[in-house]
């Protein structure tokens, strides 16, 4: 079975993103290693069922990694405040 470059590429980008954001710690090394091994097994899947099972495991393993914190931005409110101040001039 041919591998899906999307799954492999997305997984690699996801791990790199987390590493660049300093969210991957020594605690996550085993999880990252498992992800790498699962992705390497994709080309060996004998059929669509095995491929789907590997893909499901990859997604579940990715869920075990930390998520970036969502930060609320005040930029929009600041912009409206500035417009209001300009209107008062």
């Amino acid at each position: 079975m041919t591998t899906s470059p999307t799954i492999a590429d997305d997984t690699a980008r996801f791990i790199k993103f987390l590493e660049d954001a300093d969210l991957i710690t020594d605690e996550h090394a085993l999880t990252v290693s498992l992800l790498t091994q699962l992705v390497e097994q994709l080309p060996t899947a004998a059929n669509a069922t095995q491929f789907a099972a590997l893909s499901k495991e990859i997604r579940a393993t990715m869920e075990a990694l930390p998520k970036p914190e969502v930060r609320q931005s005040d930029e929009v409110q600041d912009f409206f405040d500035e417009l209001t101040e300009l209107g008062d001039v």
Side-chain angles (χ1 to χ4, degrees):
M1 171 142 263
T2 60
T3 184
S4 169
T6 304
I7 295 172
D9 293 344
D10 288 349
T11 303
R13 276 194 301 272
F14 179 69
I15 292 170
K16 176 141 179 44
F17 171 78
L18 294 178
E19 288 172 343
D20 290 347
D22 290 328
L23 295 174
I24 300 292
T25 64
D26 291 340
E27 296 173 9
H28 305 111
L30 188 58
T31 305
V32 170
S33 176
L34 176 59
L35 269 175
T36 304
Q37 290 177 8
L38 288 169
V39 168
E40 289 172 354
Q41 292 302 310
L42 285 171
T44 67
N47 55 47
T49 303
Q50 287 181 351
F51 189 87
L54 284 167
S55 297
K56 183 178 178 181
E57 286 300 318
I58 289 168
R59 286 190 302 275
T61 304
M62 289 172 78
E63 287 295 318
L65 292 172
K67 306 292 180 283
E69 181 180 318
V70 177
R71 298 182 189 150
Q72 296 294 330
S73 172
D74 292 332
E75 290 178 15
V76 173
Q77 186 60 46
D78 291 344
F79 175 73
F80 285 125
D81 291 345
E82 287 177 26
L83 287 178
T84 303
E85 289 174 12
L86 289 174
D88 292 340
V89 175

XYZ file of all heavy atoms in Angstrom:
690
model
N 0.850 -1.178 0.000
C 0.000 0.000 0.000
C 0.889 1.233 0.000
O 1.888 1.283 0.709
C -0.889 -0.052 1.235
C -1.679 1.201 1.485
S -3.316 0.843 2.104
C -4.234 0.940 0.607
N 0.542 2.212 -0.778
C 1.343 3.432 -0.823
C 1.041 4.290 0.391
O -0.078 4.304 0.894
C 1.054 4.243 -2.098
O -0.319 4.596 -2.113
C 1.418 3.445 -3.335
N 2.056 4.985 0.831
C 1.884 5.839 2.006
C 1.287 7.176 1.605
O 1.433 7.631 0.485
C 3.224 6.049 2.726
O 2.973 6.809 3.912
C 4.207 6.784 1.878
N 0.627 7.759 2.525
C 0.060 9.082 2.294
C 1.079 10.122 2.731
O 1.386 10.221 3.907
C -1.223 9.243 3.106
O -1.633 10.577 3.095
N 1.626 10.873 1.763
C 2.595 11.885 2.159
C 1.973 12.925 3.088
O 2.646 13.517 3.902
C 3.050 12.514 0.848
C 2.136 12.034 -0.193
C 1.387 10.854 0.345
N 0.675 13.097 2.978
C 0.004 14.081 3.828
C 0.115 13.696 5.298
O 0.455 14.532 6.129
C -1.477 14.207 3.429
O -1.544 14.533 2.057
C -2.172 15.263 4.225
N -0.174 12.466 5.630
C -0.100 12.036 7.029
C 1.333 12.143 7.535
O 1.581 12.677 8.608
C -0.631 10.598 7.197
C -2.122 10.548 6.875
C -0.380 10.094 8.614
C -2.691 9.155 6.817
N 2.280 11.643 6.762
C 3.683 11.685 7.176
C 4.174 13.127 7.288
O 4.820 13.503 8.268
C 4.546 10.901 6.192
N 3.844 13.945 6.285
C 4.283 15.343 6.295
C 3.615 16.125 7.420
O 4.262 16.919 8.108
C 3.984 16.018 4.958
C 4.818 15.451 3.824
O 5.829 14.762 4.087
O 4.444 15.684 2.655
N 2.311 15.910 7.603
C 1.591 16.618 8.664
C 2.139 16.256 10.042
O 2.272 17.124 10.909
C 0.096 16.309 8.609
C -0.605 16.971 7.444
O 0.007 17.846 6.789
O -1.766 16.605 7.178
N 2.455 14.990 10.235
C 3.003 14.557 11.516
C 4.365 15.194 11.755
O 4.637 15.698 12.850
C 3.109 13.018 11.573
O 1.816 12.457 11.331
C 3.624 12.549 12.917
N 5.211 15.200 10.737
C 6.540 15.813 10.863
C 6.423 17.310 11.140
O 7.136 17.846 12.004
C 7.358 15.571 9.601
N 5.519 17.993 10.435
C 5.320 19.434 10.670
C 4.792 19.696 12.071
O 5.194 20.651 12.732
C 4.360 20.019 9.632
C 5.031 20.393 8.337
C 4.140 21.276 7.474
N 2.870 20.654 7.127
C 2.672 19.884 6.072
N 3.662 19.634 5.243
N 1.484 19.366 5.837
N 3.877 18.846 12.539
C 3.302 18.992 13.868
C 4.388 18.866 14.941
O 4.475 19.694 15.844
C 2.207 17.941 14.076
C 1.552 17.979 15.422
C 0.732 19.032 15.777
C 1.748 16.946 16.320
C 0.108 19.057 17.016
C 1.133 16.968 17.561
C 0.307 18.021 17.912
N 5.223 17.846 14.802
C 6.302 17.647 15.773
C 7.279 18.816 15.727
O 7.681 19.344 16.768
C 7.024 16.303 15.531
C 6.078 15.146 15.850
C 8.302 16.206 16.357
C 6.593 13.794 15.426
N 7.655 19.260 14.540
C 8.579 20.396 14.401
C 7.976 21.656 15.012
O 8.667 22.404 15.709
C 8.926 20.638 12.937
C 9.791 21.864 12.720
C 10.831 21.667 11.688
C 11.687 22.868 11.425
N 12.160 23.600 12.557
N 6.681 21.887 14.776
C 6.010 23.050 15.348
C 6.089 23.021 16.875
O 6.408 24.030 17.505
C 4.545 23.093 14.895
C 3.730 24.128 15.591
C 3.832 25.463 15.225
C 2.863 23.787 16.616
C 3.085 26.439 15.869
C 2.114 24.741 17.269
C 2.226 26.070 16.894
N 5.810 21.861 17.462
C 5.859 21.740 18.916
C 7.282 21.918 19.437
O 7.493 22.546 20.479
C 5.288 20.400 19.374
C 3.793 20.198 19.133
C 3.368 18.809 19.586
C 2.971 21.263 19.832
N 8.259 21.379 18.705
C 9.655 21.547 19.110
C 10.065 23.009 19.020
O 10.712 23.533 19.939
C 10.570 20.688 18.246
C 10.457 19.212 18.543
C 11.219 18.342 17.546
O 11.585 18.813 16.455
O 11.448 17.175 17.887
N 9.683 23.681 17.951
C 10.014 25.099 17.783
C 9.367 25.961 18.868
O 9.912 26.996 19.254
C 9.595 25.606 16.404
C 10.450 25.024 15.288
O 11.514 24.433 15.575
O 10.036 25.160 14.110
N 8.215 25.542 19.338
C 7.510 26.271 20.394
C 7.978 25.846 21.785
O 7.423 26.281 22.785
C 6.009 26.063 20.262
N 8.994 24.993 21.835
C 9.541 24.469 23.099
C 8.481 23.766 23.956
O 8.498 23.854 25.177
C 10.215 25.576 23.915
C 11.501 26.054 23.292
O 12.186 25.232 22.651
O 11.820 27.247 23.440
N 7.576 23.076 23.305
C 6.542 22.345 24.025
C 6.885 20.870 24.196
O 6.226 20.175 24.959
C 5.193 22.487 23.311
C 4.626 23.902 23.292
C 3.370 23.963 22.437
C 4.324 24.386 24.698
N 7.897 20.401 23.475
C 8.321 19.007 23.594
C 9.412 18.938 24.664
O 10.434 19.602 24.569
C 8.870 18.473 22.258
C 7.811 18.538 21.167
C 9.414 17.061 22.408
C 6.658 17.588 21.351
N 9.150 18.141 25.678
C 10.117 17.962 26.758
C 10.633 16.528 26.732
O 10.206 15.717 25.894
C 9.466 18.246 28.124
O 8.441 17.271 28.356
C 8.869 19.647 28.183
N 11.523 16.210 27.649
C 12.039 14.842 27.743
C 10.905 13.842 27.991
O 10.985 12.694 27.568
C 13.073 14.734 28.861
C 14.355 15.486 28.540
O 14.596 15.766 27.350
O 15.106 15.803 29.484
N 9.852 14.297 28.656
C 8.705 13.426 28.932
C 8.014 12.978 27.643
O 7.376 11.940 27.603
C 7.678 14.162 29.798
C 8.165 14.534 31.167
C 7.148 15.400 31.897
O 6.016 15.565 31.403
O 7.493 15.916 32.962
N 8.149 13.775 26.595
C 7.465 13.484 25.341
C 8.319 12.700 24.348
O 7.844 12.354 23.272
C 7.010 14.787 24.681
C 6.165 15.632 25.574
N 6.619 16.824 26.072
C 4.929 15.447 26.069
C 5.672 17.339 26.832
N 4.641 16.529 26.858
N 9.551 12.424 24.696
C 10.473 11.746 23.772
C 9.925 10.388 23.319
O 10.016 10.041 22.137
C 11.841 11.587 24.413
N 9.357 9.650 24.230
C 8.823 8.327 23.883
C 7.624 8.456 22.949
O 7.482 7.690 21.985
C 8.425 7.572 25.150
C 8.036 6.114 24.975
C 9.167 5.325 24.330
C 7.658 5.501 26.307
N 6.778 9.434 23.189
C 5.614 9.654 22.330
C 6.047 10.055 20.926
O 5.505 9.569 19.931
C 4.697 10.739 22.935
O 4.352 10.355 24.267
C 3.440 10.916 22.114
N 7.044 10.941 20.827
C 7.556 11.362 19.526
C 8.174 10.167 18.802
O 7.973 9.988 17.599
C 8.564 12.520 19.681
C 9.281 12.817 18.374
C 7.856 13.771 20.197
N 8.893 9.338 19.535
C 9.494 8.143 18.946
C 8.407 7.194 18.424
O 8.526 6.640 17.329
C 10.359 7.434 19.986
O 10.878 6.246 19.467
N 7.357 7.020 19.196
C 6.246 6.165 18.772
C 5.588 6.724 17.509
O 5.298 5.977 16.569
C 5.212 6.040 19.890
C 3.944 5.255 19.555
C 4.269 3.830 19.142
C 2.989 5.284 20.732
N 5.384 8.037 17.460
C 4.813 8.654 16.260
C 5.671 8.381 15.041
O 5.167 8.031 13.973
C 4.689 10.168 16.459
C 3.389 10.675 17.029
C 3.474 12.173 17.287
C 2.234 10.366 16.128
N 6.965 8.545 15.198
C 7.894 8.310 14.094
C 7.798 6.866 13.605
O 7.746 6.609 12.402
C 9.332 8.640 14.526
O 9.370 9.990 14.997
C 10.312 8.475 13.397
N 7.745 5.930 14.539
C 7.647 4.518 14.167
C 6.329 4.202 13.474
O 6.296 3.438 12.498
C 7.821 3.634 15.400
C 9.229 3.649 15.937
C 9.365 2.821 17.202
O 8.450 2.117 17.609
N 10.526 2.923 17.840
N 5.248 4.790 13.961
C 3.946 4.552 13.325
C 3.933 5.082 11.895
O 3.431 4.414 10.982
C 2.828 5.209 14.143
C 2.481 4.533 15.467
C 1.563 5.432 16.288
C 1.836 3.174 15.230
N 4.494 6.270 11.688
C 4.543 6.843 10.341
C 5.399 5.973 9.428
O 5.055 5.762 8.261
C 5.067 8.296 10.387
C 5.392 8.812 9.006
C 4.047 9.202 11.060
N 6.493 5.447 9.950
C 7.363 4.580 9.148
C 6.661 3.290 8.747
O 7.026 2.663 7.748
C 8.645 4.258 9.922
C 9.578 5.445 10.060
C 10.760 5.181 10.987
O 10.814 4.101 11.631
O 11.618 6.066 11.085
N 5.651 2.877 9.507
C 4.926 1.637 9.203
C 3.849 1.833 8.133
O 3.353 0.856 7.569
C 4.289 1.066 10.472
C 5.289 0.543 11.474
C 6.169 -0.539 10.880
O 5.683 -1.494 10.285
N 7.475 -0.389 11.033
N 3.480 3.068 7.834
C 2.422 3.311 6.847
C 2.689 2.642 5.501
O 1.783 2.021 4.940
C 2.192 4.812 6.668
C 1.440 5.517 7.794
C 1.479 7.021 7.593
C 0.013 5.015 7.884
N 3.918 2.730 4.944
C 4.143 2.103 3.637
C 4.038 0.578 3.665
O 3.857 -0.046 2.627
C 5.561 2.525 3.247
C 5.941 3.618 4.166
C 5.074 3.492 5.379
N 4.125 -0.008 4.852
C 4.079 -1.470 4.942
C 2.662 -2.005 5.128
O 2.481 -3.219 5.184
C 4.970 -1.981 6.092
O 4.400 -1.549 7.340
C 6.388 -1.465 5.963
N 1.689 -1.101 5.249
C 0.304 -1.545 5.434
C -0.117 -2.386 4.229
O 0.028 -1.971 3.083
C -0.617 -0.346 5.601
N -0.629 -3.579 4.500
C -0.989 -4.518 3.433
C -2.304 -4.158 2.763
O -2.546 -4.546 1.626
C -1.062 -5.934 3.999
N -3.145 -3.419 3.479
C -4.446 -3.067 2.907
C -4.960 -1.784 3.551
O -4.342 -1.232 4.462
C -5.445 -4.223 3.076
C -5.559 -4.651 4.524
O -5.691 -3.827 5.420
N -5.509 -5.963 4.766
N -6.098 -1.347 3.074
C -6.675 -0.088 3.553
C -7.050 -0.155 5.027
O -6.969 0.849 5.740
C -7.894 0.281 2.714
N -7.437 -1.322 5.497
C -7.814 -1.470 6.900
C -6.615 -1.244 7.808
O -6.710 -0.540 8.816
C -8.424 -2.865 7.156
O -9.547 -3.037 6.280
C -8.865 -3.027 8.584
N -5.470 -1.829 7.460
C -4.259 -1.623 8.247
C -3.803 -0.165 8.178
O -3.378 0.410 9.175
C -3.135 -2.541 7.764
C -3.334 -3.981 8.140
C -2.183 -4.854 7.653
O -1.316 -4.416 6.905
N -2.180 -6.102 8.095
N -3.897 0.427 7.002
C -3.530 1.830 6.828
C -4.406 2.717 7.701
O -3.922 3.626 8.384
C -3.654 2.228 5.354
C -3.093 3.577 5.049
C -1.747 3.722 4.746
C -3.898 4.701 5.066
C -1.221 4.978 4.469
C -3.390 5.953 4.778
C -2.039 6.097 4.483
N -5.701 2.440 7.714
C -6.633 3.222 8.535
C -6.336 3.053 10.019
O -6.403 4.013 10.793
C -8.068 2.827 8.226
N -5.997 1.834 10.412
C -5.672 1.580 11.815
C -4.415 2.350 12.233
O -4.371 2.935 13.320
C -5.486 0.086 12.054
N -3.398 2.335 11.365
C -2.185 3.101 11.658
C -2.481 4.598 11.736
O -2.004 5.290 12.636
C -1.110 2.824 10.605
C -0.387 1.492 10.705
C 0.404 1.224 9.439
C 0.521 1.468 11.921
N -3.276 5.083 10.814
C -3.645 6.497 10.806
C -4.381 6.877 12.086
O -4.133 7.931 12.671
C -4.526 6.823 9.607
O -3.827 6.597 8.413
N -5.263 5.998 12.528
C -6.011 6.245 13.761
C -5.058 6.292 14.957
O -5.193 7.149 15.835
C -7.060 5.150 13.948
C -7.932 5.340 15.156
C -8.987 4.256 15.248
C -9.833 4.427 16.481
N -10.842 3.371 16.600
N -4.102 5.384 15.001
C -3.124 5.366 16.092
C -2.254 6.624 16.074
O -1.921 7.176 17.120
C -2.245 4.120 16.012
C -2.947 2.857 16.433
C -3.447 2.910 17.872
O -2.720 3.400 18.757
O -4.582 2.469 18.096
N -1.900 7.076 14.873
C -1.101 8.296 14.749
C -1.873 9.477 15.325
O -1.342 10.266 16.118
C -0.690 8.542 13.284
C 0.349 7.506 12.851
C -0.159 9.966 13.089
C 0.621 7.469 11.360
N -3.135 9.600 14.952
C -3.949 10.708 15.457
C -4.099 10.631 16.975
O -4.008 11.646 17.676
C -5.317 10.721 14.784
C -5.273 11.209 13.354
C -6.666 11.431 12.788
N -7.517 10.257 12.822
C -7.532 9.303 11.898
N -6.727 9.375 10.864
N -8.345 8.282 12.014
N -4.326 9.433 17.495
C -4.489 9.272 18.944
C -3.189 9.605 19.683
O -3.214 10.234 20.748
C -4.929 7.843 19.263
N -2.068 9.212 19.120
C -0.778 9.492 19.740
C -0.486 10.990 19.712
O 0.051 11.548 20.669
C 0.347 8.700 19.044
O 0.001 7.305 19.073
C 1.678 8.886 19.735
N -0.854 11.647 18.629
C -0.652 13.094 18.538
C -1.447 13.825 19.622
O -1.011 14.854 20.137
C -1.037 13.606 17.153
C -0.052 13.185 16.076
S -0.603 13.577 14.406
C -0.242 15.315 14.321
N -2.588 13.276 19.986
C -3.412 13.889 21.031
C -2.714 13.865 22.391
O -3.033 14.670 23.263
C -4.761 13.176 21.135
C -5.693 13.472 19.988
C -6.122 14.935 19.958
O -6.410 15.501 21.020
O -6.150 15.496 18.851
N -1.760 12.939 22.573
C -1.050 12.834 23.846
C 0.025 13.911 24.004
O 0.535 14.116 25.095
C -0.418 11.450 23.976
N 0.348 14.589 22.909
C 1.358 15.647 22.968
C 0.719 16.955 23.419
O -0.492 17.145 23.283
C 2.023 15.813 21.598
C 2.899 14.637 21.166
C 3.346 14.817 19.723
C 4.099 14.496 22.085
N 1.524 17.868 23.956
C 0.961 19.128 24.442
C 0.376 19.962 23.310
O 0.786 19.848 22.166
C 2.163 19.838 25.077
C 3.351 19.222 24.450
C 2.973 17.818 24.094
N -0.577 20.768 23.678
C -1.214 21.668 22.712
C -0.725 23.092 22.985
O -0.569 23.480 24.133
C -2.742 21.649 22.862
C -3.352 20.270 22.779
C -3.220 19.691 21.394
C -3.818 18.328 21.278
N -3.030 17.253 21.832
N -0.506 23.856 21.931
C -0.130 25.253 22.147
C -1.262 25.996 22.854
O -2.433 25.709 22.636
C 0.072 25.815 20.743
C 0.108 24.641 19.838
C -0.554 23.502 20.545
N -0.883 26.921 23.705
C -1.879 27.709 24.433
C -2.523 28.713 23.483
O -1.844 29.387 22.718
C -1.190 28.458 25.576
C -2.117 29.280 26.422
C -1.375 29.994 27.524
O -0.493 29.385 28.137
O -1.676 31.180 27.743
N -3.823 28.792 23.549
C -4.541 29.767 22.732
C -4.495 31.093 23.463
O -4.866 31.187 24.632
C -6.006 29.331 22.503
C -6.760 30.392 21.726
C -6.052 27.996 21.797
N -4.005 32.088 22.773
C -3.881 33.409 23.391
C -4.891 34.347 22.763
O -4.994 34.451 21.554
C -2.471 33.958 23.187
C -1.433 33.094 23.849
C -0.061 33.675 23.681
N 0.912 32.701 24.145
C 2.113 32.584 23.682
N 2.534 33.381 22.719
N 2.931 31.676 24.157
N -5.606 35.022 23.617
C -6.559 36.009 23.146
C -5.820 37.297 22.836
O -4.954 37.730 23.589
C -7.632 36.273 24.211
C -8.487 35.063 24.511
C -9.333 34.651 23.316
O -9.724 35.468 22.510
N -9.599 33.368 23.207
N -6.149 37.905 21.756
C -5.505 39.141 21.355
C -6.446 40.314 21.610
O -7.645 40.236 21.359
C -5.143 39.084 19.871
O -4.680 40.337 19.449
N -5.875 41.390 22.102
C -6.643 42.609 22.322
C -6.481 43.571 21.154
O -6.924 44.726 21.235
C -6.193 43.291 23.616
C -6.551 42.477 24.849
O -7.542 41.730 24.787
O -5.848 42.598 25.868
N -5.859 43.119 20.065
C -5.589 44.005 18.941
C -6.862 44.603 18.347
O -6.897 45.781 18.018
C -4.809 43.271 17.854
C -3.393 42.944 18.240
C -2.664 42.175 17.157
O -3.147 42.144 16.009
O -1.608 41.607 17.465
N -7.896 43.808 18.231
C -9.137 44.305 17.637
C -9.748 45.370 18.541
O -10.149 46.446 18.075
C -10.131 43.157 17.379
C -11.473 43.690 16.934
C -9.565 42.191 16.352
N -9.806 45.081 19.828
C -10.361 46.050 20.757
C -9.532 47.326 20.772
O -10.078 48.430 20.790
C -10.466 45.466 22.171
C -11.182 46.382 23.150
C -12.608 46.695 22.725
O -13.359 45.805 22.334
N -12.988 47.958 22.770
N -8.207 47.186 20.750
C -7.326 48.359 20.710
C -7.580 49.183 19.454
O -7.605 50.417 19.499
C -5.854 47.937 20.769
C -5.469 47.355 22.128
O -6.236 47.549 23.096
O -4.411 46.703 22.198
N -7.798 48.506 18.333
C -8.067 49.196 17.078
C -9.361 50.014 17.181
O -9.410 51.184 16.801
C -8.155 48.179 15.935
C -8.545 48.770 14.610
C -7.644 49.536 13.886
C -9.816 48.568 14.101
C -8.004 50.084 12.657
C -10.183 49.108 12.884
C -9.270 49.874 12.154
N -10.413 49.388 17.723
C -11.680 50.106 17.876
C -11.554 51.261 18.863
O -12.166 52.321 18.664
C -12.803 49.155 18.302
C -13.300 48.284 17.186
C -13.324 46.912 17.311
C -13.750 48.844 16.000
C -13.783 46.120 16.283
C -14.219 48.062 14.966
C -14.236 46.685 15.103
N -10.773 51.068 19.918
C -10.546 52.153 20.875
C -9.859 53.332 20.205
O -10.208 54.490 20.454
C -9.732 51.657 22.067
C -10.515 50.693 22.948
O -11.765 50.631 22.814
O -9.874 49.985 23.760
N -8.880 53.031 19.353
C -8.175 54.096 18.635
C -9.121 54.826 17.681
O -9.076 56.053 17.570
C -6.989 53.527 17.846
C -5.824 53.110 18.712
C -4.699 52.487 17.902
O -4.582 52.809 16.697
O -3.955 51.686 18.468
N -9.994 54.083 17.011
C -10.968 54.718 16.119
C -11.916 55.628 16.901
O -12.244 56.723 16.452
C -11.774 53.660 15.365
C -11.061 52.901 14.255
C -11.987 51.861 13.650
C -10.575 53.863 13.174
N -12.321 55.165 18.072
C -13.210 55.970 18.900
C -12.508 57.250 19.330
O -13.099 58.338 19.293
C -13.648 55.163 20.137
O -14.268 53.961 19.697
C -14.623 55.950 20.992
N -11.230 57.133 19.729
C -10.460 58.317 20.142
C -10.302 59.286 18.982
O -10.399 60.494 19.161
C -9.100 57.894 20.675
C -9.153 57.193 22.009
C -7.809 56.641 22.453
O -6.780 57.001 21.834
O -7.795 55.853 23.401
N -10.074 58.758 17.785
C -9.946 59.622 16.609
C -11.247 60.344 16.308
O -11.245 61.494 15.872
C -9.491 58.814 15.380
C -8.052 58.309 15.392
C -7.811 57.423 14.190
C -7.083 59.471 15.415
N -12.367 59.678 16.541
C -13.669 60.294 16.306
C -13.970 61.394 17.299
O -14.715 62.317 17.001
N -13.342 61.327 18.484
C -13.559 62.327 19.510
C -12.747 63.582 19.272
O -13.007 64.612 19.891
C -13.215 61.767 20.904
C -14.194 60.684 21.337
O -15.311 60.636 20.776
O -13.841 59.876 22.218
N -11.768 63.510 18.401
C -10.870 64.664 18.190
C -11.528 65.757 17.416
O -12.408 65.744 16.716
C -9.572 64.220 17.480
C -8.694 65.412 17.151
C -8.847 63.216 18.313
